Amino acid sequence: MASKRTKPNSPRSLKQTEVRGPAQDKYSVLLPTYNERENLPLIVWLLVKSFSDSGINYEIIIIDDGSPDGTRDVAEQLEKIYGSDKILLRPREKKLGLGTAYIHGMKHATGNYIIIMDADLSHHPKFIPEFIRKQKEGNFDIVSGTRYKGNGGVYGWDLKRKIIRLYRKEVLQKLIENCVSKGYVFQMEMIVRARQLNYTIGEVPISFVDRVYGESKLGGNEVVSFLKGLLTLFATT
């Protein structure tokens, strides 16, 4: 009796071919951390599982800003567990801002696509294959997560939350050259500059969840800086 075969047009085979894409594509995740000792092992495990299940070539770059809670020690253990080819710890001595963390991480990225996201589990890595499918579907320069379209939802999320994004590496490099913000407004400025430079942007509906462990990294002074950054952004665009 002949073995059962998956039909070429079945959902399963479509999913496999859509996500994997060209063999040369590699995705570098930039993961800035500050006091994420408890969240980091889980977010890394979820990232590895999502990429491995989808057959995606990847690396995860952890940029720890001198966390006093031992996040760096945890990152070092994860590097040993998963291998230094998949987990790259690239720490800094102190907290220097989200924008500069991405710039630092970019210097070490070997992928031709860059994914930026938070380590506090406010974004679930299960959405990443959908970002990749969306990018290939429309040949977009950028794909952004949104809670305003389709089935996207929000659970305990507020406007201070950062957004998961996928960029072509060369596009992100160009945007970084044009951005003036260094803190939490950096991501917002990136998308404004992207529209100015006529880069194409795709959107994927995702659910946002408030942080699983620990307190928000956005303190009172950073909220003020965030608002000042917005004013500067509006004044220069």
Side-chain angles (χ1 to χ4, degrees), residues 153-193:
V154 54
Y155 305 93
W157 193 81
D158 59 39
L159 290 176
K160 298 192 292 289
R161 283 282 170 232
K162 299 177 291 300
I163 298 173
I164 183 172
R165 289 208 179 101
L166 182 154
Y167 297 84
R168 294 183 190 273
K169 187 176 184 179
E170 65 274 15
V171 168
L172 183 56
Q173 288 172 327
K174 183 67 175 178
L175 289 173
I176 285 173
E177 291 172 5
N178 284 270
C179 285
V180 296
S181 306
K182 301 300 179 187
Y184 279 80
V185 76
F186 182 82
Q187 283 202 46
M188 187 177 292
E189 180 178 358
M190 295 265 275
I191 213 70
V192 172
R193 303 293 181 196

Side-chain angles (χ1 to χ4, degrees), residues 13-93:
S13 60
L14 279 174
K15 180 179 179 181
Q16 289 172 340
T17 55
E18 285 175 1
V19 175
R20 293 186 182 184
Q24 70 271 20
D25 284 343
K26 183 177 182 179
Y27 297 83
S28 300
V29 180
L30 304 187
L31 206 61
T33 59
Y34 187 77
N35 288 346
E36 298 290 359
R37 183 177 183 274
E38 294 172 306
N39 288 322
L40 189 58
L42 182 53
I43 190 70
V44 167
W45 182 81
L46 288 169
L47 280 165
V48 170
K49 185 177 188 303
S50 180
F51 285 128
S52 299
D53 288 352
S54 301
I56 298 167
N57 190 14
Y58 72 95
E59 64 183 3
I60 302 168
I61 302 172
I62 300 171
I63 307 112
D64 185 63
D65 275 2
S67 299
D69 72 339
T71 298
R72 179 171 175 172
D73 294 335
V74 172
E76 288 174 351
Q77 290 301 311
L78 292 170
E79 196 172 37
K80 292 176 183 176
I81 292 169
Y82 294 104
S84 58
D85 60 325
K86 294 300 183 186
I87 309 295
L88 291 75
L89 174 59
R90 298 295 182 264
R92 303 191 295 177
E93 292 303 314

Side-chain angles (χ1 to χ4, degrees), residues 95-114:
K95 198 173 181 182
L96 298 170
L98 184 66
T100 60
Y102 291 137
I103 293 170
H104 180 73
M106 276 280 290
K107 294 176 182 177
H108 304 281
T110 61
N112 55 322
Y113 289 95
I114 306 291

Side-chain angles (χ1 to χ4, degrees), residues 8 17 23 54 94 121 134 151 157 192 210 225 231 236:
T17 55
S54 301
K94 60 182 180 179
L121 293 167
K134 185 72 174 181
N151 298 319
W157 193 81
V192 172
D210 205 355
S225 297
L231 291 175
T236 59

